[in-house]
Amino acid sequence: MSTELLLPIEGLVFDDRAHRYCFLGDWLPFSVTGVISDLSEAARKQIERTKDGPDGWELRGNTVHGILEQHLRGGMTGAVYEERWAPWAEPLLDHWLFRGCTVLAVEYRICDPRKRVGGTWDFLVRTAQGQTILGDLKTVSSAAAMKSRKPASAQLGALASMLAHWWPTITIDRCATLVSAPGECELKVQEPVECMAAWQEAWEKHQAEEMLRGF
């Protein structure tokens, strides 16, 4: 595995505490995750109930994302992490996608200045077979949840469109949602054009909702 990391976008920062992006002094009102969120009230309550604590999804997600990030940045020789995370970490770090790949960007902040939307992708890699893959990592608690987890189509479409704006010389071959479960992980692959169409649909719906709020 080697690295050819993209330079950060000048003037773009992310405030972790406020969970907001700022570009050239302009606080962006929207994030990709905020735009595409269409959960019911019942689903929101369920997510909140399972979020916190040592077995909550927030700690699991942050930890496993951190393990992958450090691995792809080359800072985890020997992959040091707590034993409790091994069921997620071991199959993830050994996934064929990362064997012999070239890492182009990890946890990369990006934005669309026109739409005033910010976002972050988990990884952009060029595989050993020469394909450029834009990916999002999702963690789940079981193999059953892994199988039923839908791909992050609109999210990846937003990030792919932003990548095309800032780095037009980079052609994405595939968008991929990598779902990590205890003992295994599954790669859900899509065409970039399919994901961009899903993002456009989500953005138009978001715009309509914003107009209704204004009345």
Side-chain angles (χ1 to χ4, degrees):
M1 186 168 61
S2 60
T3 58
E4 295 179 7
L5 297 178
L6 301 181
L7 294 174
I9 294 174
E10 188 174 351
L12 179 64
V13 296
F14 179 71
D15 187 317
D16 287 292
R17 290 177 297 179
H19 292 279
R20 290 188 65 186
Y21 295 86
C22 182
F23 179 60
L24 297 177
D26 176 30
W27 286 99
L28 305 182
F30 310 118
S31 68
V32 172
T33 52
V35 169
I36 66 177
S37 178
D38 60 354
L39 296 173
S40 66
E41 188 59 30
R44 290 181 190 277
K45 289 180 178 179
Q46 175 62 17
I47 287 174
E48 284 300 313
R49 281 196 296 268
T50 57
K51 174 182 176 181
D52 298 320
D55 297 317
W57 59 260
E58 185 174 50
L59 177 61
R60 180 190 69 224
N62 289 342
T63 302
V64 177
H65 273 77
I67 290 170
L68 179 61
E69 178 183 2
Q70 292 182 61
H71 176 71
L72 292 180
R73 290 187 185 278
M76 281 192 86
T77 305
V80 179
Y81 46 82
E82 291 183 35
E83 183 61 29
R84 64 171 298 196
W85 304 115
W88 284 270
E90 290 176 358
L92 176 62
L93 302 186
D94 191 46
H95 196 275
W96 66 262
L97 182 65
F98 305 125
R99 295 178 200 158
C101 76
T102 299
V103 182
L104 303 179
V106 186
E107 292 296 328
Y108 191 82
R109 312 294 190 192
I110 197 165
C111 69
D112 183 332
R114 295 162 298 182
K115 289 184 172 69
R116 300 180 72 206
V117 182
T120 302
W121 71 59
D122 291 332
F123 58 85
L124 178 68
V125 299
R126 186 165 59 244
T127 69
Q129 294 74 35
Q131 285 204 324
T132 300
I133 309 292
L134 176 66
D136 185 69
L137 172 65
K138 304 295 186 187
T139 69
V140 295
S141 59
S142 66
M146 178 186 71
K147 296 299 181 184
S148 62
R149 187 67 165 83
K150 293 181 180 179
S153 307
Q155 182 178 356
L156 287 166
L159 299 169
S161 66
M162 293 177 191
L163 174 62
H165 170 76
W166 289 102
W167 300 95
T169 59
I170 297 177
T171 300
I172 302 171
D173 295 299
R174 298 289 186 275
C175 291
T177 307
L178 184 56
V179 187
S180 173
E184 57 183 320
C185 52
E186 181 178 0
L187 192 68
K188 300 174 188 279
V189 179
Q190 295 175 282
E191 295 290 337
V193 66
E194 175 187 356
C195 294
M196 289 183 183
W199 165 243
Q200 183 61 29
E201 181 179 348
W203 176 251
E204 290 174 359
K205 179 182 177 183
H206 169 75
Q207 282 186 304
E209 291 172 348
E210 286 293 304
M211 288 182 64
L212 288 175
R213 292 190 187 101
F215 287 109

